[in-house]
């Protein structure tokens, strides 16, 4: 825990905005004010981070999707890298209105992206005029830039990780409308009531965003590893089960020796002995 606190402080996670720009709802997460700058309580940051990691690991263990969102300049590259590392979809360029609420249209555009890639990879594009080739290339670049991170999002996500919900207010609104849980890194100028699991911290520092995103991505990977281990255990159990009926059938296939006839024959064999005893007793008399 002390190592985590040291990493958070070195990354500058505890630095908030100017006190004149604060949101009063962030009061429980603020430790003090120094030189007109609010200092975030690192203990609250750790609490929020641990809760978020536990929740994300649980979601990932159920093979559900987690959408990473961070379109601000400081967060875009980090969000793309960490989301790709843990195999989750991301939005790092621009949040298109209706990404969640009009998801069917987004899937149609992704299908169009795949179609354009097939055209560009083959020689079919040479059959178009130069003007049409330019139009197709421009359309491809636009769709690729905005939607490439959501290729693997074949269904709505169960959870969304957001950097700065004030910047990504449209994404947060769509998530709340559809009941998608929101985990967010929030600064002192944000409203914590708009997210489900707030992580108080500096959302403008590159190092702060990198550290938080890395820890959350590690939690997702841990959840996936747990799911894989459970699946492997289930498969091994399924492989062992067919041997059980064979073991149970073995005693039935080899019936015991006919004990009843033996028991029936025993008295019959004992009768002559009884007759001999009676004869001896009679002769003695």
């Amino acid at each position: 825990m002390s190592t985590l606190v040291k990493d958070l402080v070195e990354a500058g996670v505890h630095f908030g905005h100017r006190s004149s720009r604060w949101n009063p709802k962030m009061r429980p997460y603020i430790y003090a004010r120094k030189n007109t700058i609010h200092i975030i309580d690192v203990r609250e940051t750790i609490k929020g981070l641990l809760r978020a990691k536990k929740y994300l690991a649980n979601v990932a263990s159920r093979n559900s999707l987690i959408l990473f969102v961070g379109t601000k300049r400081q967060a875009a590259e980090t969000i793309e890298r960490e989301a790709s590392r843990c195999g989750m979809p991301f939005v790092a360029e621009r949040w298109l209105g209706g990404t969640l609420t009009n998801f069917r249209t987004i899937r149609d555009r992704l299908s169009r992206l795949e179609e354009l890639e097939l055209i560009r990879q083959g020689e079919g594009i040479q059959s178009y005029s130069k003007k049409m080739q330019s139009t197709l290339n421009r359309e491809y670049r636009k769709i690729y830039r905005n939607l490439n991170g959501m290729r693997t999002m074949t269904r709505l996500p169960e959870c969304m990780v957001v950097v700065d919900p004030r910047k990504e207010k449209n994404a947060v609104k769509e998530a709340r409308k559809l009941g998608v849980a929101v985990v967010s890194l929030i600064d002192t100028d944000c409203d914590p009531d708009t997210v489900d699991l707030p992580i108080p911290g500096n959302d403008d520092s590159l190092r702060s965003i990198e550290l938080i995103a890395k820890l959350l991505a590690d939690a997702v990977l841990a959840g996936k590893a747990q799911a894989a281990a459970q699946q492997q255990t289930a498969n091994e159990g399924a492989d062992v089960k067919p041997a059980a009926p064979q073991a149970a059938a073995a005693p039935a296939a080899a019936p015991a020796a006919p004990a009843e006839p033996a028991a029936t024959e025993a008295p019959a064999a004992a009768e002559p002995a009884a007759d001999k005893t009676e004869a001896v007793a009679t002769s003695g008399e």
Side-chain angles (χ1 to χ4, degrees):
M1 184 65 70
S2 59
T3 304
L4 178 59
V5 173
K6 182 180 178 182
D7 293 340
L8 292 173
V9 172
E10 289 180 351
V13 176
H14 59 294
F15 290 118
H17 281 287
R18 295 178 64 87
S19 57
S20 59
R21 294 178 52 191
W22 79 310
N23 189 319
K25 293 183 180 180
M26 287 294 294
R27 187 188 300 274
Y29 306 111
I30 295 176
Y31 177 75
R33 182 177 64 181
K34 183 177 182 180
N35 298 331
T36 71
I37 300 294
H38 274 137
I39 304 300
I40 298 173
D41 192 346
V42 179
R43 292 173 298 182
E44 296 295 332
T45 303
I46 294 175
K47 288 180 183 178
L49 184 59
L50 293 179
R51 285 195 297 264
K53 289 177 64 177
K54 183 177 180 180
Y55 174 71
L56 292 179
N58 186 24
V59 172
S61 66
R62 300 196 300 268
N63 294 322
S64 297
L65 292 180
I66 301 172
L67 178 61
F68 284 72
V69 181
T71 60
K72 62 195 307 182
R73 180 176 52 84
Q74 302 94 315
E77 183 179 351
T78 299
I79 287 297
E80 180 177 354
R81 181 178 65 251
E82 296 300 330
S84 301
R85 182 168 69 90
C86 64
M88 290 296 175
F90 63 89
V91 177
E93 183 67 27
R94 177 192 170 201
W95 180 267
L96 299 178
T99 298
L100 297 181
T101 55
N102 196 15
F103 184 64
R104 182 178 299 178
T105 301
I106 298 298
R107 287 304 311 170
D108 290 342
R109 300 310 296 165
L110 286 171
S111 299
R112 175 60 176 168
L113 175 62
E114 296 174 357
E115 179 183 347
L116 291 173
E117 285 180 341
L118 291 176
I119 294 174
R120 297 175 76 251
Q121 290 174 359
E123 298 180 356
I125 196 171
Q126 302 299 331
S127 61
Y128 294 94
S129 63
K130 290 186 177 180
K131 182 178 180 180
M132 192 60 185
Q133 290 182 25
S134 176
T135 302
L136 292 175
N137 288 329
R138 185 166 58 251
E139 181 185 3
Y140 169 77
R141 288 193 297 269
K142 183 178 180 180
I143 300 177
Y144 182 87
R145 182 175 64 250
N146 293 326
L147 300 179
N148 180 57
M150 292 187 290
R151 283 176 179 265
T152 59
M153 198 169 75
T154 56
R155 61 189 185 278
L156 287 175
E158 182 177 337
C159 172
M160 190 164 66
V161 176
V162 178
V163 176
D164 191 358
R166 194 163 177 261
K167 167 74 173 175
E168 314 297 345
K169 59 182 180 180
N170 292 332
V172 174
K173 285 181 181 178
E174 291 190 26
R176 292 179 65 84
K177 185 175 182 179
L178 296 177
V180 177
V182 179
V183 177
S184 178
L185 176 64
I186 59 173
D187 214 323
T188 55
D189 64 339
C190 298
D191 184 0
D193 294 342
T194 60
V195 300
D196 299 287
L197 289 174
I199 305 174
N202 188 350
D203 61 8
D204 293 315
S205 168
L206 180 62
R207 293 182 62 192
S208 173
I209 296 172
E210 285 180 347
L211 177 60
I212 298 298
K214 179 180 179 300
L215 293 174
L216 296 181
D218 290 342
V220 174
L221 289 173
K224 284 188 170 184
Q226 179 182 354
Q230 292 176 352
Q231 183 64 31
Q232 182 178 1
T233 303
N235 293 338
E236 292 177 354
D239 294 341
V240 173
K241 283 181 180 179
Q246 296 178 1
E260 293 182 356
T264 305
E265 294 173 1
E271 286 179 359
D275 295 340
K276 290 180 181 180
T277 304
E278 292 177 357
V280 172
T282 305
S283 61
E285 292 177 353

